[in-house]
Amino acid sequence: MIVGIPKEIKSQEGRVALLPEQVSTLTANGIQVNVETNAGLLSGAGDADYHKAGANICGDAASVFANSDLIVKVKEFQQSEYALLQEKHVLFTNIHPAATPEQVNVLLDKGLTAIAAEDTHEFGSPNCALAGEVGAFEGIRLCMAPHGGTGRHFLPHYGSSPIKAAVIGLGNVGRGALRTLLSLGCEVVGFDISNGIRYRTEQDWDSRNFSTADIDDFAKRMDEFDLVVNCVLWPKHREDHLISRPQLSQLKQTCVIADISCDEGGAIETCRPTKWENPTYREEGILHFCVDNIPGAVPVAASAGYGRSLLPHIENIVANGWKEACKSSPWLARGLVCAERTLVHAETARIQNRERVDTGAFLAR
């Protein structure tokens, strides 16, 4: 099985699926790897580095797709890539299939095998913490007066209080946001549904200006904050919200919302994905930051973590084929979206009202 790594073409996406370090591991075991020219340039890896690692450098994406079996990417497929997909392909990338019905139609029509990488991380995506860190950093920047924020400093000075931020959700993304906010001196209240998570997080940041509260308390405290950082991955079937459109009026008019999860109509009803070249917009007067590929802004670190997490799955697929690999790895099977023109991904079937075959039953065929 030949591994192909095309260059990411999503706007301002600098990550690459595998760095030369991981490629050399594959080629040392006799696995052929095709890499599109300049695929790793923004992640600090040039064609010469990949060539040294044993990869074959292809001049364009078409060559990578045509001459590879296992296509490994970072982001979902863009429309211009649809024509390159073939039935022989096993696709391994962040697909977010429940939110992309058009893409699911293409994958099913092609008859290929697709695995959503975002669902295969046993301990959470390594890019989650980076998203929290960078997203919180952008939120702090937008709190400055030139952007219409409250104009508070992130540090306390001359008796004035610093930015006061709410971090909603204290999982991997939330912990990343806390690292940025608390390291810079902000006052932070962390909201979560779990008493245990709140307790452990308070211990981690005992020496900082940090406290926690149950998520049920957030609605009563909305007017306290200069910055709200949402780190909750909201179930797509839910129709309620942590912050509804009418509730925006309870925020300070200078408050900034940084939605790291940026699910359209998700935890924050008024959030919709944006891109780095136009990252913000206002709803009901409130500034929203909702870039949907935040780690792409720090591709050197993001690619290092992403490639390291994917490598064991890739080795398993190459050695055993995608079906046996899924049978042996529950976490890989968890990411299986479709194969043989059959949808198996439960969330996608529920959200898009599609028929599916249970993953276990499908793999047992």
Side-chain angles (χ1 to χ4, degrees):
M1 184 177 283
I2 300 173
V3 177
I5 305 171
K7 183 179 179 181
E8 299 296 323
I9 60 174
K10 185 164 184 172
S11 177
Q12 293 188 310
E13 177 56 69
R15 286 174 287 181
V16 65
L18 297 175
L19 289 171
E21 175 186 352
Q22 290 91 42
V23 169
S24 64
T25 299
L26 296 175
T27 58
N29 290 318
I31 300 167
Q32 182 177 332
V33 180
N34 295 324
V35 180
E36 184 178 352
T37 184
N38 295 329
L41 205 57
L42 295 179
S43 293
D47 289 350
D49 300 308
Y50 282 105
H51 182 73
K52 186 178 179 180
N56 174 49
I57 307 302
C58 298
D60 54 28
S63 297
V64 173
F65 281 84
N67 297 293
S68 306
D69 307 299
L70 173 57
I71 306 296
V72 187
K73 281 173 40 66
V74 179
K75 294 303 293 179
E76 64 275 5
F77 286 85
Q78 306 300 299
Q79 285 189 354
S80 62
E81 295 174 304
Y82 289 168
L84 303 177
L85 301 176
Q86 301 179 36
E87 185 174 358
K88 70 172 184 176
H89 286 145
V90 177
L91 311 180
F92 192 21
T93 187
N94 291 290
I95 299 174
H96 306 291
T100 55
E102 176 188 308
Q103 186 170 212
V104 173
N105 288 338
V106 173
L107 299 178
L108 290 170
D109 182 63
K110 295 284 185 177
L112 46 70
T113 299
I115 301 172
E118 69 271 16
D119 291 336
T120 65
H121 305 292
E122 183 174 0
F123 304 108
S125 169
N127 282 184
C128 282
L130 300 182
E133 291 163 0
V134 177
F137 183 83
E138 283 296 300
I140 289 172
R141 184 181 67 82
L142 293 170
C143 282
M144 295 182 183
H147 304 290
T150 57
R152 293 191 182 278
H153 200 302
F154 46 82
L155 286 168
H157 278 297
Y158 313 118
S160 66
S161 58
I163 289 170
K164 185 171 184 178
V167 173
I168 306 175
L170 300 176
N172 289 336
V173 178
R175 286 195 289 269
L178 291 180
R179 275 194 289 275
T180 294
L181 294 165
L182 293 171
S183 296
L184 288 176
C186 298
E187 178 183 354
V188 181
V189 180
F191 293 87
D192 201 280
I193 61 174
S194 168
N195 289 331
I197 289 175
R198 295 200 305 271
Y199 175 72
R200 288 193 296 273
T201 310
E202 287 174 355
Q203 289 183 312
D204 290 340
W205 296 101
D206 184 58
S207 62
R208 303 300 175 95
N209 194 356
F210 176 66
S211 61
T212 66
D214 188 276
I215 191 63
D216 290 340
D217 295 332
F218 177 73
K220 296 178 290 187
R221 303 183 61 177
M222 290 175 62
D223 61 351
E224 297 179 21
F225 303 108
D226 307 298
L227 171 64
V228 174
V229 183
N230 175 50
C231 305
V232 175
L233 185 62
W234 201 244
K236 292 180 176 58
H237 66 277
R238 291 185 61 163
E239 297 182 356
D240 60 333
H241 314 280
L242 289 178
I243 303 178
S244 65
R245 180 179 291 275
Q247 286 178 301
L248 292 181
S249 63
Q250 298 177 39
L251 296 170
K252 298 176 181 178
Q253 277 298 293
T254 51
C255 182
V256 173
I257 291 176
D259 194 340
I260 313 301
S261 297
C262 62
D263 298 306
E264 187 163 2
I268 301 175
E269 184 178 9
T270 50
C271 283
R272 59 181 184 271
T274 61
K275 301 183 184 304
W276 276 111
E277 60 262 35
N278 189 21
T280 63
Y281 61 89
R282 288 187 181 274
E283 288 283 353
E284 310 295 334
I286 301 297
L287 188 64
H288 293 56
F289 170 86
C290 306
V291 171
D292 68 352
N293 63 326
I294 291 175
V298 287
V300 176
S303 296
Y306 185 74
R308 187 180 301 173
S309 68
L310 260 58
L311 182 60
H313 289 313
I314 293 169
E315 292 177 309
N316 191 0
I317 294 170
V318 171
N320 303 301
W322 68 266
K323 183 170 281 189
E324 291 301 318
C326 285
K327 288 180 181 179
S328 68
S329 171
W331 279 94
L332 189 63
R334 188 170 177 264
L336 184 62
V337 176
C338 61
E340 301 169 2
R341 292 186 168 83
T342 302
L343 178 69
V344 301
H345 198 261
E347 184 186 39
T348 299
R350 181 172 64 250
I351 298 302
Q352 298 178 17
N353 195 28
R354 296 176 185 257
E355 293 185 1
R356 69 176 281 262
V357 174
D358 176 77
T359 303
F362 179 80
L363 294 175
R365 286 179 176 180

